[in-house]
């Protein structure tokens, strides 16, 4: 059975799931039992033919196998509803972050430019549903930590122009890996991170100094009126996270009692 470290941070997390409960909105998180482990497995798929099917004779001799050609390398541009290519993703990211947005926004670390979240192929317009040559567009979403704004920009892949921009406040999509890492850095550096570091020390006999030493998942935390320390009352308007850290090739560490406000760069402990 996979162990879960809980000597310092509290209650064992049963099975392979963490239910975000208490003062937070209920969020179900499944913790993969093999995440981070150096494990391989799975049998090889059965393939091939009988000797007769493969052209073998009555003596059971099997004809030489045929090696299929490797898939063609992904081109610079997709077609129709094909997924965005790597080149298209890189291109629309550069187009979406024009100088105006770059200079007027901040990422999760406080650097110039917004925090990139997702790049997805945009849905076709109603009149384009049956058109195989409909324009390909991409939606790029960013979080601007300067004023806690979710920014969505739609880029026409053919013209290379921004064709739509939307901004929203109080909308909290899933976090990026950079945001998880920054949340862990803030928790490690905060006095409230002492128990996390002690649990890591118990599990590995090493000091925890860097988020790269952990596998990180988590969930957005939204404030409930009167349900948490006042320092977290703006969570939902601010970008806040509860972390579910895991020692690389080791156990999970229960850190659910802590909330990191990435917008205010503060750490707080939920009241039990």
């Amino acid at each position: 059975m996979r162990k879960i470290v809980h000597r310092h941070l509290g209650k064992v997390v049963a099975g392979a799931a963490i239910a975000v409960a208490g003062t937070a909105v209920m969020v179900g998180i499944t913790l993969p039992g093999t995440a981070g482990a150096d494990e391989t497995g799975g049998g090889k798929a059965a393939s091939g033919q009988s000797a007769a099917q493969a052209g073998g004779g009555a003596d059971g001799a099997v004809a030489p196998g045929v090696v299929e050609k490797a898939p063609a390398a992904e081109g610079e541009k997709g077609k129709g509803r094909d997924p965005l290519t790597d080149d298209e993703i890189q291109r629309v990211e550069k187009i979406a972050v024009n100088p105006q947005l770059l200079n007027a926004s901040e990422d999760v670390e406080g650097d110039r430019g917004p925090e990139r979240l997702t790049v997805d192929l945009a849905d076709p317009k109603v009149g384009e549903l049956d058109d195989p040559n409909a324009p390909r567009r991409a939606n790029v979403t960013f979080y601007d930590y300067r004023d806690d704004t979710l920014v969505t920009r739609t880029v026409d892949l053919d013209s290379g122009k921004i064709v739509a921009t939307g901004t929203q406040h109080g909308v909290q999509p899933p976090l990026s890996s950079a945001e998880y890492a920054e949340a862990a850095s803030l928790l490690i550096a905060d006095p409230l991170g002492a128990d996390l570091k002690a649990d890591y020390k118990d599990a590995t006999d090493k000091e925890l100094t860097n988020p790269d030493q952990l596998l990180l998942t988590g969930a957005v935390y939204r404030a409930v009126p009167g349900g948490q320390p006042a320092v977290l009352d703006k969570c939902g308007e601010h970008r806040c996270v509860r972390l579910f850290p895991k020692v690389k090739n080791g156990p999970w560490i229960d850190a659910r009692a802590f909330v990191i406000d990435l917008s205010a760069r503060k750490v707080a402990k939920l009241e039990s």
Side-chain angles (χ1 to χ4, degrees), residues 124-211:
K125 296 180 180 179
V126 174
E128 300 170 346
L129 293 174
D130 297 323
D131 183 359
N133 298 314
R136 281 167 61 82
R137 306 179 189 90
N139 289 329
V140 190
T141 60
F142 304 94
Y143 197 84
D144 180 2
Y145 277 89
R146 178 169 291 184
D147 58 2
D148 284 294
T149 302
L150 180 68
V151 180
T152 303
R153 287 194 158 172
T154 303
V155 176
D156 186 302
L157 291 162
D158 292 326
S159 68
K161 295 181 179 180
I162 299 170
V163 294
T165 298
T167 58
Q168 296 170 284
H169 292 276
V171 178
Q172 299 295 339
L175 296 124
S176 68
S177 57
E179 289 173 309
Y180 285 137
E182 187 63 15
S185 292
L186 291 171
L187 180 56
I188 291 169
D190 193 275
L192 288 174
D195 287 344
L196 171 67
K197 292 187 282 189
D199 281 342
Y200 186 88
K201 178 78 170 179
D202 287 345
T204 66
D205 201 31
K206 296 179 180 178
E207 300 296 331
L208 176 61
T209 60
N210 192 295

Side-chain angles (χ1 to χ4, degrees), residues 13-222:
V13 182
I18 289 181
V20 177
T23 58
V25 175
M26 298 298 289
V27 181
I29 303 294
T30 299
L31 303 180
T34 58
D38 290 335
E39 297 172 357
T40 59
K44 295 181 179 179
S47 61
Q49 300 171 303
S50 68
Q53 291 172 323
D59 58 358
V62 179
V66 177
V67 178
E68 295 184 0
K69 293 182 179 180
E74 185 177 54
E76 293 184 356
K77 294 183 179 181
K79 296 181 179 179
R81 301 303 299 162
D82 289 346
L84 295 170
T85 67
D86 290 342
D87 287 340
E88 286 176 323
I89 291 173
Q90 293 175 8
R91 180 168 173 250
V92 298
E93 284 178 344
K94 292 179 180 178
I95 294 170
V97 187
N98 58 13
Q100 181 180 1
L101 179 60
L102 180 66
N103 293 322
S105 60
E106 291 181 2
D107 66 13
V108 68
E109 296 180 0
D111 295 330
R112 188 178 64 151
E115 184 67 34
R116 195 210 79 174
L117 300 179
T118 60
V119 181
D120 299 300
L121 187 68
D123 292 331
K125 296 180 180 179
V126 174
E128 300 170 346
L129 293 174
D130 297 323
D131 183 359
N133 298 314
R136 281 167 61 82
R137 306 179 189 90
N139 289 329
V140 190
T141 60
F142 304 94
Y143 197 84
D144 180 2
Y145 277 89
R146 178 169 291 184
D147 58 2
D148 284 294
T149 302
L150 180 68
V151 180
T152 303
R153 287 194 158 172
T154 303
V155 176
D156 186 302
L157 291 162
D158 292 326
S159 68
K161 295 181 179 180
I162 299 170
V163 294
T165 298
T167 58
Q168 296 170 284
H169 292 276
V171 178
Q172 299 295 339
L175 296 124
S176 68
S177 57
E179 289 173 309
Y180 285 137
E182 187 63 15
S185 292
L186 291 171
L187 180 56
I188 291 169
D190 193 275
L192 288 174
D195 287 344
L196 171 67
K197 292 187 282 189
D199 281 342
Y200 186 88
K201 178 78 170 179
D202 287 345
T204 66
D205 201 31
K206 296 179 180 178
E207 300 296 331
L208 176 61
T209 60
N210 192 295
D212 291 341
Q213 295 169 260
L214 299 166
L215 295 177
L216 298 167
T217 57
V220 169
Y221 177 85
R222 288 181 174 274

Side-chain angles (χ1 to χ4, degrees), residues 250-272:
W252 296 94
I253 299 177
D254 187 355
R256 290 171 294 167
F258 302 101
V259 175
I260 301 94
D261 184 333
L262 290 169
S263 300
R265 302 187 67 79
K266 294 180 179 179
V267 179
K269 186 174 183 178
L270 295 173
E271 299 169 355
S272 56

